[in-house]
């Protein structure tokens, strides 16, 4: 992998510059030495332009400085040679050494760290089926956790369940007021129907019911108080709804290879008085204060810093509309109820181990010998669990509409004196998902309401949207048709299994290939394309590489292990000469070696599209190489061995890149 090589280059150059010019290694000029890729392979594999930065300081020409540094470096293990050219220091890697090392060892290049990172994602309201918009959150969050683990982080994946919120209350009201169901009646429906789909329709109906008579909102308010207080039938109905819907959500996400370590229930935060404890912290430090006059009189508010100023849509949440009131965020309303951001503050304090109290924990489910844990406020239901929370770094994956509230959470940490934790609180924001008109029509959506727009916007509240499972089923069905067409001899069960892998890769890759700040317009045909920038295109490249090795085994009894073992005794000219062929072979290897660099960049930038686009480019490079330099029909044994080694390493890296995005590789396509 390339990052360890870059670290060696930076370290040795810093040492050389210190020895030559007496510049301390911690000098800013040496603290972040840039390592570039030359525009042409003939110029080397890595290039360092440091001489240009030092020229004015040393009052020497960059060309002379580069020559001095290159001379001081001499020879380095793992490098064929080091040259100074036009002010650059160019490094040529020992191709044989690195291909052998990467092919046989590879893996993540970052050293493991005991510091824990918490990634919270998904957080679907447990009142109805998951929809297409939720898939982007879960796909981004799961992939980001995978990248952190790849870099050596200890990662804890959490899913926050808002079981006491208005959405669950609305469904409980719907069952009680619209359908006349008690707890037993709701349980019977949950046991005998596709419950998340049933609640999807009921939620839309109760929304219309409120709209018909605004006085009915008092019923919602009463239900919310009953749920928060507990110990009554409404609370029991809400608990049943949330539990059954969450289990359906978990099944949906499992189809996408998405799992969690901990489910955190908002009800437990309330029952264990996390907010009460956090509120005392905030009051003691003056982070919040009681407003005694104006429209916010009687509210506990936080003064908003300039960088956390609310956008126009957030101002509607304020109880007052005056300019001064807009500079204060209500944390506790005048009636004593806590706003959403208040609960988030308590939760964030707990994530960093700063709250001074903890949940109880119980097993919620298990899959593949892994226990999914859940918080509980009942000590009698608790079990011995791993240590949750107490992270050094927290990432909350929430859509861009929550940016304002996430800034307030950071502000609260800083106000309490936890500046390091505030700096390590990351909001991974993203934009919405819409549908292309053709996909909306294919899924049975009425597109006439968005006929004048370039995409079709969905709304779960109105019951207008695409359920996640319906979308996945449609993708798998269409993939099955294509797989069956290409593989007429394949049993139906195998066709289905391959189609599932293709369908999941299609949706997961589509959700991460765009910049997170871009609205996604999901299109089924684009996502499933075997030719375009898609998950199936990447899978097809790996399947093609697998087929090469299957045939190599049949024809020459050569598998990857045999190819790797043969490298030591095979002439190196097809890899090390100055021929176009050798540069192409090495170029494929070097591009594949950049995976760890791309992971580092994606994490630093909070931009998973970096990985998606890199993987697509690598698949394109492999396919181009495959057509220009065949392996199976190559008569020269040495060329066949080195080409096969390059393909083996490329296959390895592409498979890893797919796995980082939650995609598997089917046996056939």
């Amino acid at each position: 992998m390339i990052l360890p090589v870059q670290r060696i280059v930076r370290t040795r150059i810093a040492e050389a510059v210190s020895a030559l010019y007496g510049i301390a290694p911690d000098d800013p000029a040496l603290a972040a030495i840039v390592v570039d890729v030359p525009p042409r392979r003939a110029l080397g594999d890595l290039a360092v332009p440091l001489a240009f930065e030092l020229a004015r300081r040393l009052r020497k020409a960059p060309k002379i400085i580069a020559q001095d540094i290159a001379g001081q470096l001499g020879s380095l293990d793992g490098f064929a040679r080091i040259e100074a050219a036009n002010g650059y220091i160019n490094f040529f890697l020992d191709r044989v050494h690195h291909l052998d090392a990467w092919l046989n060892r590879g893996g993540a290049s970052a050293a493991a760290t005991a510091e824990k990172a918490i990634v919270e994602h998904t957080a679907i309201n447990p009142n109805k089926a998951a929809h297409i918009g939720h898939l982007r959150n879960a796909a981004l969050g799961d992939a980001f956790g995978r990248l952190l683990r790849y870099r050596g982080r200890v990662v804890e994946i959490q899913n926050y369940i808002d079981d006491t919120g208005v959405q669950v209350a609305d469904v409980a009201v719907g069952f009680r007021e619209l359908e006349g169901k008690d707890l037993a009646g709701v349980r019977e429906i949950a046991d005998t129907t596709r419950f998340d789909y049933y609640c999807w329709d009921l939620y839309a109906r109760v929304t219309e019911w409120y709209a018909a008579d605004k006085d009915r909102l008092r019923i919602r308010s009463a239900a919310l108080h009953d749920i928060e207080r507990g110990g009554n039938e409404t609370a029991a109905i809400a608990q049943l709804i949330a539990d059954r819907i969450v289990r359906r959500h978990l099944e949906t996400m499992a189809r996408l290879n998405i799992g969690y370590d901990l489910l955190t229930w908002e009800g437990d935060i309330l029952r264990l008085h996390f907010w009460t404890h956090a509120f005392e912290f905030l009051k003691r430090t003056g982070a919040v204060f009681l407003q005694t006059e104006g429209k916010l009189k009687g509210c506990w508010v936080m003064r908003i810093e300039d960088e956390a100023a609310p956008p126009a849509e957030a101002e509607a949440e304020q109880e007052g509309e005056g300019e001064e009131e807009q500079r204060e965020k209500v944390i506790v309303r005048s009636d004593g109820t806590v706003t959403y951001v208040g609960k988030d503050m308590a939760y964030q304090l707990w994530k960093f181990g700063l709250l001074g109290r903890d949940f109880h924990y119980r097993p919620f489910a298990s899959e593949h010998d892994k226990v999914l844990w859940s918080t509980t406020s009942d000590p009698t239901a608790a079990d011995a669990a791993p240590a949750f929370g107490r992270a050094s770094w927290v990432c909350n994956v929430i859509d861009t509409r929550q940016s304002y509230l996430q800034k307030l959470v950071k502000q609260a940490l800083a106000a309490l004196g936890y500046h390091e934790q505030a700096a390590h609180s990351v909001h991974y924001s993203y934009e919405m998902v819409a549908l292309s008109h053709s996909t909306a029509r294919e899924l049975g959506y009425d597109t006439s309401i968005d006929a004048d727009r370039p995409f079709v916007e969905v709304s779960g509240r109105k019951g207008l949207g695409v359920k996640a499972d319906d979308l996945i089923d449609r993708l798998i069905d269409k993939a099955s048709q294509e797989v069956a067409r290409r593989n007429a001899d394949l049993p139906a069960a195998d066709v289905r299994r391959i189609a599932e892998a293709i369908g999941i890769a299609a949706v997961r890759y589509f959700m991460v290939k765009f910049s997170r700040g871009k609205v996604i317009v999901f299109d089924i045909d684009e996502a499933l394309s075997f030719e375009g920038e898609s998950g199936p295109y990447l899978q097809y490249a790996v399947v093609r590489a697998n087929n090469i090795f299957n045939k190599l085994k049949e024809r020459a009894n050569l598998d990857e292990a045999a190819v790797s073992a043969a490298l030591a005794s095979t002439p190196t000219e097809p890899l090390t000469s100055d021929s176009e062929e050798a540069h192409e072979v090495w170029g494929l290897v070097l591009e594949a070696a950049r995976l760890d660099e791309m992971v580092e960049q994606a994490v630093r930038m909070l931009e998973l599209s970096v990985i998606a686009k890199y993987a697509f480019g690598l698949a394109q490079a492999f396919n181009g190489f495959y057509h220009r330099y065949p392996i199976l029909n190559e008569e020269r044994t040495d060329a066949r061995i080195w080409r096969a080694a390059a393909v083996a390493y490329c296959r390895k890296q592409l498979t890893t890149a797919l796995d980082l995005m939650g995609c598997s590789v089917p046996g056939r396509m």
Side-chain angles (χ1 to χ4, degrees):
M1 301 292 273
I2 205 65
L3 282 182
V5 177
Q6 292 180 356
R7 283 195 287 269
I8 291 171
V9 167
R10 290 188 179 98
T11 298
R12 295 306 298 270
I13 283 186
E15 292 172 352
V17 170
S18 295
L20 284 168
Y21 309 117
I23 299 176
D26 59 352
D27 187 281
L30 303 182
I33 296 173
V34 174
V35 180
D36 288 330
V37 176
R40 300 194 312 278
R41 182 70 56 220
L43 296 175
D45 301 314
L46 301 173
V48 176
L50 180 62
F52 295 97
E53 299 177 34
L54 296 176
R56 176 173 295 182
R57 179 173 179 175
L58 298 177
R59 297 182 179 179
K60 286 187 175 184
K63 181 177 180 180
I64 301 302
I65 296 172
Q67 291 172 346
D68 289 346
I69 295 174
Q72 181 70 24
L73 287 170
S75 61
L76 299 178
D77 290 341
F79 294 84
R81 65 186 189 277
I82 303 169
E83 296 178 351
N86 299 320
Y88 288 89
I89 308 162
N90 296 329
F91 293 80
F92 296 78
L93 301 186
D94 183 330
R95 297 179 178 183
V96 174
H97 167 83
H98 284 291
L99 176 52
D100 179 66
W102 292 335
L103 184 58
N104 289 296
R105 291 185 288 276
S109 62
T113 173
E115 292 185 339
K116 180 193 289 186
I118 287 176
V119 178
E120 180 214 326
H121 67 80
T122 305
I124 307 172
N125 288 316
N127 68 319
K128 64 182 187 304
H131 60 64
I132 185 173
H134 297 133
L135 297 185
R136 188 174 196 189
N137 182 303
L140 289 171
D142 180 73
F144 195 66
R146 290 169 184 255
L147 296 189
L148 292 174
R149 286 197 177 106
Y150 178 85
R151 295 179 70 241
R153 276 272 197 179
V154 175
V155 180
E156 181 175 300
I157 304 295
Q158 297 184 7
N159 185 357
Y160 184 84
I161 312 298
D162 183 5
D163 56 326
T164 64
V166 66
Q167 290 82 6
V168 174
D170 283 349
V171 176
V173 168
F175 275 117
R176 194 182 64 195
E177 302 294 329
L178 274 66
E179 303 204 337
K181 301 295 184 182
D182 58 8
L183 179 61
V186 176
R187 180 174 286 110
E188 181 181 1
I189 292 173
D191 290 341
T192 57
T193 67
R194 175 69 191 262
F195 192 57
D196 55 339
Y197 280 34
Y198 189 98
C199 291
W200 176 288
D201 295 332
L202 180 58
Y203 181 58
R205 286 168 53 205
V206 78
T207 299
E208 294 175 353
W209 185 70
Y210 288 139
D213 185 351
K214 297 297 184 182
D215 286 344
R216 291 168 177 167
L217 292 174
R218 290 181 295 179
I219 299 174
R220 169 197 276 176
S221 297
L224 279 168
H225 283 291
D226 285 345
I227 292 169
E228 189 167 329
R229 187 172 63 253
N232 54 75
E233 174 133 322
T234 300
I237 290 174
Q239 184 178 10
L240 174 64
I241 292 168
D243 179 85
R244 294 298 184 89
I245 296 292
V246 166
R247 293 183 187 277
R248 291 298 308 169
H249 289 169
L250 293 175
E251 291 172 3
T252 300
M253 294 304 158
R255 298 181 72 185
L256 295 165
N257 305 318
I258 294 171
Y260 311 89
D261 299 305
L262 179 67
L263 303 180
T264 309
W265 298 77
E266 183 175 283
D268 293 325
I269 291 177
L270 296 174
R271 287 184 289 270
L272 292 170
H273 307 293
F274 277 22
W275 164 245
T276 303
H277 202 60
F279 190 29
E280 292 304 316
F281 277 8
L282 292 165
K283 287 192 289 187
R284 283 200 304 270
T285 60
V288 299
F289 61 93
L290 182 65
Q291 183 56 269
T292 58
E293 57 186 19
K295 294 182 179 180
L296 301 186
K297 182 178 179 180
C299 299
W300 286 89
V301 300
M302 173 183 286
R303 186 164 294 279
I304 300 169
E305 297 175 357
D306 288 343
E307 60 269 23
E313 62 270 21
E315 293 175 5
E317 298 179 5
Q318 299 288 347
E319 294 194 10
E321 296 180 355
E323 182 177 348
E324 181 59 27
E325 284 84 353
Q326 292 175 12
R327 306 305 304 166
E328 297 170 352
K329 172 62 183 174
V330 175
I331 306 300
V332 179
R333 302 181 185 93
S334 55
D335 64 0
T337 57
V338 185
T339 61
Y340 180 84
V341 70
K343 299 169 189 175
D344 264 12
M345 289 174 182
Y347 185 28
Q348 195 80 350
L349 284 167
W350 172 81
K351 287 176 180 176
F352 282 110
L354 302 173
L355 194 62
R357 55 185 58 198
D358 200 359
F359 296 102
H360 305 292
Y361 301 95
R362 62 184 174 91
F364 187 82
S366 61
E367 185 176 358
H368 305 304
D369 298 324
K370 179 186 175 182
V371 175
L372 169 61
W373 290 88
S374 168
T375 63
T376 178
S377 50
D378 181 3
T380 65
D383 204 343
F388 291 109
R390 303 179 182 87
S392 61
W393 191 86
V394 173
C395 175
N396 297 326
V397 183
I398 310 175
D399 71 58
T400 191
R401 293 170 296 180
Q402 302 298 317
S403 295
Y404 162 57
L405 297 181
Q406 286 295 306
K407 288 177 181 177
L408 289 178
V409 170
K410 291 185 66 166
Q411 182 179 316
L413 286 170
L416 290 168
Y418 300 122
H419 298 284
E420 181 179 352
Q421 288 82 358
H424 293 167
S425 294
V426 176
H427 175 205
Y428 196 111
S429 63
Y430 60 93
E431 273 291 354
M432 60 173 273
V433 180
L435 299 173
S436 69
H437 281 267
S438 60
T439 291
R441 287 191 295 270
E442 183 174 341
L443 292 168
Y445 198 103
D446 180 8
T447 62
S448 61
I449 56 176
D450 288 307
D452 297 331
R453 304 182 68 186
F455 54 78
V456 177
E457 190 171 346
V458 298
S459 172
R461 180 177 293 276
K462 298 177 182 177
L464 304 173
V466 176
K467 301 177 185 72
D469 281 306
D470 287 350
L471 176 67
I472 295 169
D473 289 342
R474 184 60 181 157
L475 285 161
I476 292 173
D477 288 345
K478 293 196 75 168
S480 293
Q481 296 170 17
E482 182 65 16
V483 172
R485 186 184 68 81
R486 293 175 177 232
N487 302 273
D489 61 326
L490 211 56
D494 291 340
V495 168
R496 182 71 181 181
R497 185 165 50 252
I498 292 170
E500 286 175 351
I502 293 172
I504 298 312
V507 69
R508 290 210 55 166
Y509 184 84
F510 201 99
M511 291 298 172
V512 302
K513 77 173 184 175
F514 297 98
S515 167
R516 62 191 175 95
K518 180 180 176 63
V519 173
I520 287 181
V521 180
F522 189 87
D523 185 85
I524 287 178
D525 291 335
E526 180 183 344
L528 277 175
S529 173
F530 280 37
E531 303 299 329
E533 186 179 352
S534 69
Y537 178 82
L538 268 65
Q539 290 175 310
Y540 191 66
V542 179
V543 169
R544 176 174 279 174
N546 289 339
N547 289 339
I548 291 173
F549 275 91
N550 290 338
K551 292 177 181 178
L552 266 180
K553 181 68 174 177
E554 293 173 4
R555 298 181 188 180
N557 197 30
L558 282 174
D559 56 14
E560 184 176 319
V563 168
S564 180
L567 296 182
S569 58
T570 300
T572 64
E573 184 178 358
L575 179 69
T576 60
S577 71
D578 196 34
S579 66
E580 181 180 350
E581 174 188 346
H583 288 324
E584 291 268 9
V585 174
W586 176 242
L588 182 64
V589 172
L590 200 58
E591 184 63 18
R594 297 182 64 219
L595 175 60
D596 60 343
E597 181 184 6
M598 295 298 102
V599 170
E600 181 90 6
Q601 182 178 330
V603 171
R604 184 177 66 253
M605 296 172 59
L606 298 178
E607 188 54 81
L608 292 178
S609 62
V610 169
I611 294 297
K613 294 188 180 303
Y614 162 76
F616 174 60
L618 182 58
Q620 286 182 307
F622 161 72
N623 285 325
F625 178 85
Y626 168 82
H627 287 296
R628 289 191 300 274
Y629 299 100
I631 296 171
L632 299 172
N633 297 324
E634 174 56 50
E635 296 181 355
R636 295 171 297 155
T637 301
D638 56 351
R640 187 166 63 246
I641 291 293
W642 288 110
R643 291 178 190 178
V647 168
Y649 182 57
C650 182
R651 174 179 68 167
K652 182 178 183 178
Q653 296 294 84
L654 260 181
T655 303
T656 300
L658 279 164
D659 182 68
L660 290 172
M661 292 181 283
C663 308
S664 60
V665 178
R668 296 169 68 174
M669 288 186 73

